[in-house]
């Protein structure tokens, strides 16, 4: 996907990759500006924008009051006039306050006004549970946006993809929802130097295998890779498809993989019913039904508002052990006793 | 970049004259309890007994005590996530509040809500809310229900809805106040103005930084009071509640106070200027009220020390209780999802098949 193959790399965090990319794009294009709560003086709730106010000033890095509907809509309006706003919403949970501007407006305008206006708007926000932030602050609502025609939704799982997909999102002429994850910010990975622009709409096979395909995205991909490595030791060959883009969805890459392995499990952090996994599962059913040796299974969150208490939270969220168990079930291999 | 210090002159407790000594002593006991509870919460967070987000009332004790002295048992209280002190002074046992922070089944919300989501039906604490502004429309609706359920008068109930200064910039604030003004609802909106919403000063967040003036847009009295003065807060809140219950006149009350520490326990507040931090420390209502009561002869130094010690002991008991309480049972994960049993309600844990092959 990334064109520049020969570049040198550095090992940096997901957070740093985002920060450097924002900096590079602010430098490259004066139409780019950042807006969000606490992104300037406070340097971002998760410190993604550290140092940017200082270097680019308050006209390029705008601290907004707590008014998600207002500033998301304002960014949209600025985008209509050719600016390239990059909005930070503190977490995906708070984007619900802005959902009218995103769904009823940003996603609609280009079509509804017959292509007369483009919306080069990026909305960055982290999702994710598992930090005892309780029901309202732990949601994985990306499927809400992935459902909407007119939006593009990307969900990088590595620092390298964070860089390449964010660069692509900022240079894209359509509204892009850029999904981050609280538990990925400190994750490290190799990131190629120099300009990297991913192609939005493409998945990646991040581990190759022949027995079964795990499809996942964002934080889930890191768990999928962990499980694939663990099962490799048991002699299983697992392929991992990292979606990277939730809308558009790269159905070809998913189906090509399952055609080869004959087995598929979707690992997702959102709730099971009507979730990302439901779409993947249906895609596999339509595309490669004849190649399947077992039903597609989904490993997703328990369908409950996520409780604060540690034990309940842990039980409700999908884990590596849950995934390994389901992989074995699909492959009809009896569980080893040291499973959860 | 440090935020500019607020220029508001520091308030002293104006006069304790005329107030029964017992009442003053009682208020100090409450302040001391909130202080001790919050300091211990911070400590328990550092020891990983408490997780998630944890926002403290440190520096806001006079406001908490004053407001909770004004509200009646029959009134309903809605608040944001900075809610520990209010829960304690609404009469909830420190044990049950600390247990909630510890995520234990004995907690006020069964360990499911945590620090930001304290709820107690019995004392009409109708929630801590973690989404900024989330409490405003429901609080307004509670006042609408009271209006239909009761006749106005001195015995009627009212709603007190607490919110932060930063919360006045969200749409829900404006929509709610408009509804309350239009429908003449028995509600008092209290802006606990601690000068900051996370790292953002009021002046940087609100085009009209004199927040009480925003009441005018909704033909609602807007009142500002010194939040370091417990009696002034109590009297202003009582008067506002009286207007709400007797005349169904909603009121916007702004209480000026300081946040002594970071936004939450994990925020070192580096964005704050040294001047601002100094002012916040100088305005600390707990030592100043203590000194005031000693100076006016209400308490001796020994009395005050005994009160502080008792508060600390009370909190220690709460910690032991919380620590020894059991976690909620995983078998009860789905227990509260629906009030009415419903066919096909999901109950699968992650990795469990949603259906058996037919
Ligand atoms: C809709 C929404 N946006 C953002 C946040 C994140 N957030 C939590 S508290 C807070 C600041 C609120 O400040 P203020 O209203 O002054 O209350 P204080 O914390 O000072 O008590 C922000 C931005 C949130 N919880 N909900
Ligand atoms: Mg505040």
């Amino acid at each position: 996907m990334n064109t520049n193959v020969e570049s040198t790399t550095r090992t940096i965090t997901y957070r740093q990759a985002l920060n450097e990319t924002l900096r590079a794009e602010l430098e490259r294009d004066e139409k780019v500006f950042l807006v969000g709560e606490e992104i300037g003086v406070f340097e971002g709730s998760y410190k993604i924008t550290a140092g940017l106010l200082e270097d680019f000033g308050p006209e390029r890095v705008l601290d907004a009051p707590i008014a998600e509907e207002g500033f998301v809509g304002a960014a949209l309006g600025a985008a209509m006039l050719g600016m390239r706003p990059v909005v930070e919403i503190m977490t995906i949970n708070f984007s619900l306050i802005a959902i009218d501007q995103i769904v009823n407006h940003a996603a609609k305008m280009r079509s509804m006004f017959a292509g007369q206006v483009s919306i080069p708007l990026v909305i960055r926000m982290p999702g994710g549970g598992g930090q005892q932030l309780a029901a309202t602050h732990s949601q994985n609502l990306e499927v809400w946006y992935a459902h909407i025609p007119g939006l593009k939704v990307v969900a990088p799982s590595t620092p390298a993809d964070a860089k390449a997909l964010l660069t692509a999102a900022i240079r894209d002429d359509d509204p892009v929802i850029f999904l981050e994850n609280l538990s990925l910010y400190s994750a490290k990975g190799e990131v190629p130097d120099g300009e990297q622009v991913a192609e939005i709409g493409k998945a990646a096979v991040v581990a190759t295998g022949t027995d079964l395909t795990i499809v996942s995205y964002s934080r889930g991909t890191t768990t999928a890779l962990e499980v694939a490595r663990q099962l490799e030791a048991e002699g299983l060959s697992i392929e991992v498809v990292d979606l990277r883009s939730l809308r558009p969805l790269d159905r070809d890459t998913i189906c090509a993989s399952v055609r080869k392995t004959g087995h598929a499990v979707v690992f997702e952090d959102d709730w099971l019913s009507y979730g990302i996994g439901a779409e993947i599962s249906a895609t596999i059913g339509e595309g490669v039904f004849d190649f399947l040796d077992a039903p597609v299974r989904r490993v997703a969150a328990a369908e409950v508002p996520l409780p604060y208490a540690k034990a309940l939270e842990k039980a409700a969220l999908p884990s590596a052990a849950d995934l390994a168990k389901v992989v074995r079930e699909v492959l009809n291999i009896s569980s080893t006793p040291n499973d959860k | 970049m440090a935020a500019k210090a607020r220029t508001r002159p520091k308030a002293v407790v104006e006069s304790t004259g005329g107030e029964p000594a017992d009442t003053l002593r009682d208020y100090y006991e409450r302040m001391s309890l909130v202080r001790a509870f919050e300091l211990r919460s911070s400590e328990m967070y550092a020891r990983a007994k408490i997780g998630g987000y944890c926002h403290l009332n440190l520096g806001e004790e006079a406001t908490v005590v004053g407001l909770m002295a004004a509200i009646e048992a029959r009134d309903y209280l809605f608040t944001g996530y900075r809610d520990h002190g209010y829960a304690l002074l609404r009469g909830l046992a420190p044990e049950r509040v600390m247990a909630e922070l510890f995520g234990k089944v004995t907690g006020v919300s069964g360990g499911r809500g945590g620090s930001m989501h304290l709820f107690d039906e019995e004392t009409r604490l109708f929630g801590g809310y973690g989404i900024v502004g989330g409490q405003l429309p429901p609080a307004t609706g509670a006042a609408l229900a009271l209006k239909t359920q009761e006749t106005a008068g001195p015995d009627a109930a009212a709603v007190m809805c607490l919110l932060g200064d930063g919360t006045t910039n969200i749409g829900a604030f404006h929509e709610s106040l408009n509804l309350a003004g239009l429908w003449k609802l028995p509600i008092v909106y209290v802006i606990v103005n601690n000068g900051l919403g996370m790292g953002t000063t009021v002046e940087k967040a609100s085009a009209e930084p004199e927040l009480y003036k925003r009441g005018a847009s909704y033909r609602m009295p807007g009142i500002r009071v010194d939040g370091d003065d417990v009696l002034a807060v109590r009297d202003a809140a009582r008067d506002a509640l009286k207007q709400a219950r007797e005349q169904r006149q909603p009121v916007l009350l702004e209480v000026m106070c300081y946040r002594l520490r970071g936004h939450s326990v994990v925020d070192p507040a580096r964005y704050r200027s040294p001047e601002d931090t100094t002012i916040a420390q100088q305005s600390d209502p707990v030592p100043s009220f203590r000194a005031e009561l000693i100076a006016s002869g209400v308490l001796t130094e020994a009395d005050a020390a005994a009160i502080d010690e008792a508060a600390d002991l009370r909190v220690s008991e709460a910690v032991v209780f919380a620590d020894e309480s059991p976690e909620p049972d995983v078998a009860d994960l789905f227990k509260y999802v629906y009030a009415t049993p419903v066919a096909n309600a999901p109950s699968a844990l992650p990795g469990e098949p949603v259906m058996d092959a037919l």
Side-chain angles (χ1 to χ4, degrees), chain A residues 19 23 39-40 43 47-57 61:
Chain A
N19 178 270
R23 173 179 293 278
I39 66 168
E43 303 193 308
K47 307 296 166 204
I48 307 302
T49 50
L52 299 180
L53 171 65
E54 204 174 326
D55 294 347
F56 294 93
V61 181

Side-chain angles (χ1 to χ4, degrees), chain B residues 60 81-82 163-167 191-198 200 202 259 263:
Chain B
E60 302 175 354
Y81 44 83
R82 202 179 291 285
L163 59 137
D165 45 277
T167 305
I191 305 169
V192 178
N193 183 347
N194 58 14
L196 290 164
M198 293 185 80
T200 304
V202 175
R259 198 186 74 198
H263 169 67

Side-chain angles (χ1 to χ4, degrees), chain A residues 277-301:
Chain A
E279 182 60 32
I280 307 297
S281 206
T283 295
I284 295 169
E286 281 180 44
V288 284
F289 178 78
D290 288 342
F291 297 87
L292 279 177
D293 294 326
V296 180
R297 288 275 302 275
R298 290 166 285 163
V299 180

